[in-house]
Amino acid sequence: MDKVFLERYNRLNKAQKEAVDTIEGPVMVIAGPGTGKTSILTLRIANILRQTDTPPSGILAITFTDSGVKSMKQKLREIIGSRADEVRIHTFHGFAASIISEFKEYFVHLSDAVQMTDIDQVELVKHILTDNTYKDLRPFGNEDFYVDHLLGMIRDAKKDAVTPEMLADFAQTEVKRIESDEASISTRGATKGQLKADAKRAIDKCKRTILASEVYKQYEYRKQHPLAGGKKMMDFDDLIVEVLKALREHEVLLRSIQEKYLYVHVDEHQDTNDSQNAIITLIAAFFDSPNVFIVGDEKQAIYRFQGASVKNFLQFESLWSDMKVISLEHNYRSHQSILDASFAMIEANYDEGQHERLRVRLQSGSNDTQRPVEVVTAGNITAAEQYLTETIKQIQTNDSQATIAIISRTNADIERVVRSCAAEGINVASERSINIFNHPIGLLFFALIECIENPLALDAWSRTIVGGLWSLDFTARTEILQKIRKEGIETIGKDIPAYEAIRSEIVQDSPLEFFMTCADKSGLIERVSTDPVYVEVWRGIYTFVESVIRQKGCVDPIE
């Protein structure tokens, strides 16, 4: 262990060594990209084991992604061997799951709960909204308009440790503030002395928030009190919320965890939300000067939409006045032109004097030949995409082994890039989040499943026919739609042979095989193959179906 440790330790710069050597008391490391965060985390853990009698199981390390956990474990094994498997390295959700598993007596109400899928969450909110109490959240013409908004609100509230009651109180307080604000009162015209239109809209929004808080309350209640025959459910965010709640309510549980972990490490701390931050704070509060090691970079707060904020990054410094702050200023990944350009761009987001200590200008430690950053301005999107594809072709001509990354602001931009590259014969793979529940191909897939499940689903049949399924030409589609309107859909199987073929294989195929049969014989796969973007959506659908099959316990016999 000492040989490998010393070899790697001696390669560190002064600031990195300081971070590894400071093993007592609270430490905050401001570490930008490419500054060796994983290396100092693993070397510091190894150093704790070298310098103290702390058992590996008494060290906790939390990072934000599964890939981060894997990387940290691998590097730690290279330094300390098999003892690395005893160190508790988790994502936040993995850590919460481990607590629930280890201390089952505090989570009895979760013992028979099943994990909710996205569809389960959507269906539960839809069911709640059928109550006439929530009619204002079911606008005429699109009764599901607020479903996604409500689920997003619930997720955000949980990440910020906000209860339904807190949400309602905030909205009610805001209504009173608006009504009592002189700026909300019109001073001229026909509405003089009345609330301005903007104020009324703000109040209406607050009232919908109050109503939404009731949906949130019902959502939480229905998960634990399902209808007859149903099972208790829990969603992904419940792992964090349930553990936070238990730590606050059960002193013995909190003390057990506090006494167990003598050293706590948090990687990518700028991305923690309020609920996650509260868990770390509770665990660390056992000591006046806890051994908490925080690594993060406020400029990289990519998960800020999850409730993360620079205030979380700075909160611990205000809690513990003896916190040591170390800045890592050397980047070993990029040349100086890239670092200078990115720093200049990020700097534009700050006000004068704001968070100056966190705005570390990185210096390149790379030996690569420095290349300037080229900024190109195009007159329109078409010209920009043409320049992009021509540049890619030129790079590939000069270096056939070159790896090229294209970064875009939105998914819509990525779709255009994928199509442009495909049109020019450039092979490209996109990595982005795809909402299969909103994408036209995803909606077509769910309409197809609805047809198979319920042969009398008129709207679903219409969507699949108009959407180009069943391998029908324009004339056949028109004739079938007219026949459906006149005669109903009881005999639709005679007009669409592929549907009868699918129905005949329901019992014979395994779940995954039947899914592929539906997609193939309905013409969905053929439809997907017409557009490279659709192929990406199809991958998302396939992954989703696989996860549902596994969660429902439907084991595919071919696996």
Side-chain angles (χ1 to χ4, degrees):
M1 168 180 165
D2 281 347
K3 181 180 179 181
V4 177
F5 174 84
L6 291 173
E7 285 178 355
R8 299 192 178 189
Y9 177 82
N10 289 331
R11 293 201 294 264
L12 300 179
N13 60 44
K14 182 180 179 181
Q16 290 173 326
K17 286 180 179 178
E18 183 181 10
V20 171
D21 291 337
T22 309
I23 61 175
E24 299 299 326
V27 181
M28 175 190 293
V29 178
I30 301 172
T35 54
K37 291 179 292 184
T38 304
S39 294
I40 65 167
L41 275 165
T42 50
L43 285 171
R44 186 178 191 272
I45 291 172
N47 202 28
I48 291 169
L49 296 175
R50 291 175 73 248
Q51 302 287 347
T52 74
D53 60 357
T54 303
S57 59
I59 300 174
L60 173 65
I62 298 181
T63 187
F64 222 74
T65 64
D66 290 328
S67 60
V69 170
K70 183 178 179 181
S71 176
M72 197 180 298
K73 284 183 177 180
Q74 180 179 341
K75 287 196 173 187
L76 193 57
R77 285 193 193 102
E78 293 170 356
I79 301 170
I80 67 174
S82 60
R83 295 178 74 196
D85 296 328
E86 300 176 46
V87 177
R88 300 295 291 271
I89 304 175
H90 297 285
T91 62
F92 270 101
H93 286 86
F95 176 58
S98 72
I99 291 177
I100 293 172
S101 176
E102 185 175 354
F103 299 95
K104 294 183 176 69
E105 64 271 26
Y106 296 99
F107 304 94
V108 175
H109 60 291
L110 300 178
S111 59
D112 55 350
V114 297
Q115 191 73 41
M116 298 177 78
T117 65
D118 290 342
I119 287 182
D120 291 331
Q121 291 177 283
V122 169
E123 290 301 319
L124 178 55
V125 171
K126 283 184 177 181
H127 176 74
I128 293 170
L129 292 180
T130 58
D131 190 305
N132 202 46
T133 303
Y134 309 109
K135 63 181 184 299
D136 289 342
L137 297 178
R138 298 195 313 273
F140 180 75
N142 187 0
E143 293 190 347
D144 295 336
F145 178 80
Y146 284 108
V147 171
D148 284 345
H149 296 277
L150 288 165
L151 283 170
M153 177 271 293
I154 291 171
R155 295 185 188 111
D156 289 342
K158 289 185 177 184
K159 288 164 185 171
D160 288 337
V162 174
T163 65
E165 293 76 17
M166 292 165 64
L167 190 65
D169 287 345
F170 171 80
Q172 289 165 353
T173 301
E174 186 65 7
V175 169
K176 293 178 181 178
R177 184 195 66 77
I178 294 171
E179 290 177 338
S180 61
D181 188 350
E182 291 183 2
S184 300
I185 308 300
S186 175
T187 58
R188 57 180 180 267
T191 59
K192 184 177 181 180
Q194 302 175 21
L195 285 172
K196 293 178 180 177
D198 286 347
K200 288 184 176 180
R201 284 198 298 271
I203 289 173
D204 286 342
K205 185 176 180 180
C206 288
K207 289 180 177 178
R208 284 197 299 273
T209 300
I210 294 170
L211 202 55
S213 72
E214 290 298 319
V215 174
Y216 178 12
K217 184 185 295 185
Q218 280 296 311
Y219 175 86
E220 293 300 300
Y221 178 82
R222 290 296 177 190
K223 285 188 306 177
Q224 288 299 307
H225 301 84
L227 299 175
K231 293 183 177 180
K232 291 182 180 180
M233 297 182 291
M234 62 184 297
D235 61 34
F236 187 63
D237 296 307
D238 284 335
L239 289 170
I240 300 292
V241 173
E242 289 288 348
V243 167
L244 177 57
K245 181 181 178 183
L247 291 176
R248 286 171 169 169
E249 293 180 354
H250 302 289
E251 184 179 357
V252 174
L253 172 63
L254 176 59
R255 290 286 180 261
S256 298
I257 295 172
Q258 288 174 327
E259 293 171 2
K260 181 174 184 177
Y261 298 116
L262 305 178
Y263 291 85
V264 179
H265 301 73
V266 184
D267 190 16
E268 306 291 2
H269 180 261
Q270 75 277 352
D271 292 329
T272 56
N273 57 49
D274 286 350
S275 294
Q276 295 163 342
N277 225 36
I279 288 175
I280 296 300
T281 303
L282 283 169
I283 295 173
F286 187 64
F287 298 100
D288 293 334
S289 182
N291 296 321
V292 175
F293 188 77
I294 300 167
V295 181
D297 177 18
E298 190 275 332
K299 297 189 299 298
Q300 296 186 77
I302 58 174
Y303 288 98
R304 192 163 302 188
F305 64 90
Q306 292 195 350
S309 168
V310 66
K311 70 179 177 64
N312 284 339
F313 187 75
L314 299 174
Q315 178 181 332
F316 288 162
E317 189 178 18
S318 64
L319 285 175
W320 301 299
S321 58
D322 60 336
M323 174 167 275
K324 187 172 189 176
V325 179
I326 302 171
S327 294
L328 303 186
E329 300 179 356
H330 288 84
N331 173 289
Y332 297 94
R333 184 184 301 161
S334 306
H335 56 73
Q336 196 62 47
S337 293
I338 291 288
L339 298 177
D340 289 344
S342 60
F343 183 81
M345 180 178 67
I346 294 171
E347 279 289 286
N349 296 310
Y350 292 99
D351 296 327
E352 185 177 352
Q354 184 183 21
H355 305 310
E356 287 185 333
R357 189 168 50 81
L358 300 180
R359 290 148 59 181
V360 178
R361 182 186 290 273
L362 297 177
Q363 300 299 315
S364 177
S366 171
N367 294 321
D368 289 347
T369 303
Q370 185 167 326
R371 302 182 300 279
V373 175
E374 183 180 2
V375 179
V376 178
T377 302
N380 53 56
I381 291 175
T382 302
E385 291 176 354
Q386 182 178 354
Y387 175 85
L388 176 65
T389 54
E390 289 175 355
T391 302
I392 292 172
K393 286 182 176 180
Q394 186 62 48
I395 293 172
Q396 292 178 332
T397 299
N398 296 336
D399 182 3
S400 61
Q401 301 301 314
T403 300
I404 303 170
I406 303 170
I407 302 173
S408 180
R409 188 173 65 87
T410 67
N411 283 338
D413 293 333
I414 293 178
E415 289 192 8
R416 284 197 298 271
V417 170
V418 169
R419 289 194 174 100
S420 296
C421 290
E424 294 294 327
I426 300 171
N427 292 325
V428 60
S430 65
E431 296 182 8
R432 66 192 192 278
S433 59
I434 297 176
N435 188 343
I436 63 174
F437 299 96
N438 287 338
H439 194 280
I441 289 297
L443 296 174
L444 196 56
F445 164 72
F446 287 111
L448 170 63
I449 296 302
E450 188 176 352
C451 290
I452 304 303
E453 180 186 15
N454 178 16
L456 300 180
L458 177 59
D459 288 344
W461 275 110
S462 298
R463 291 197 297 273
T464 61
I465 294 170
V466 172
L469 298 192
W470 311 114
S471 302
L472 302 170
D473 59 29
F474 179 78
T475 302
R477 289 184 214 167
T478 304
E479 291 176 351
I480 292 174
L481 289 171
Q482 289 176 344
K483 185 176 180 181
I484 287 175
R485 282 194 290 269
K486 291 180 180 179
E487 303 176 14
I489 59 176
E490 287 78 2
T491 61
I492 197 167
K494 296 179 181 178
D495 299 307
I496 304 180
Y499 170 70
E500 290 298 324
I502 291 172
R503 294 283 297 179
S504 68
E505 298 190 30
I506 289 179
V507 179
Q508 301 177 29
D509 289 347
S510 69
L512 196 57
E513 286 175 330
F514 181 67
F515 158 70
M516 292 302 299
T517 296
C518 291
D520 183 27
K521 294 192 174 182
S522 68
L524 180 60
I525 290 180
E526 181 181 356
R527 180 84 172 85
V528 165
S529 65
T530 62
D531 190 314
V533 173
Y534 293 173
V535 174
E536 298 292 329
V537 180
W538 171 250
R539 289 173 182 161
I541 292 172
Y542 187 90
T543 300
F544 169 73
V545 171
E546 269 194 322
S547 68
V548 170
I549 289 173
R550 294 185 188 282
Q551 287 183 13
K552 297 300 183 183
C554 304
V555 180
D556 193 335
I558 67 172
E559 294 186 348

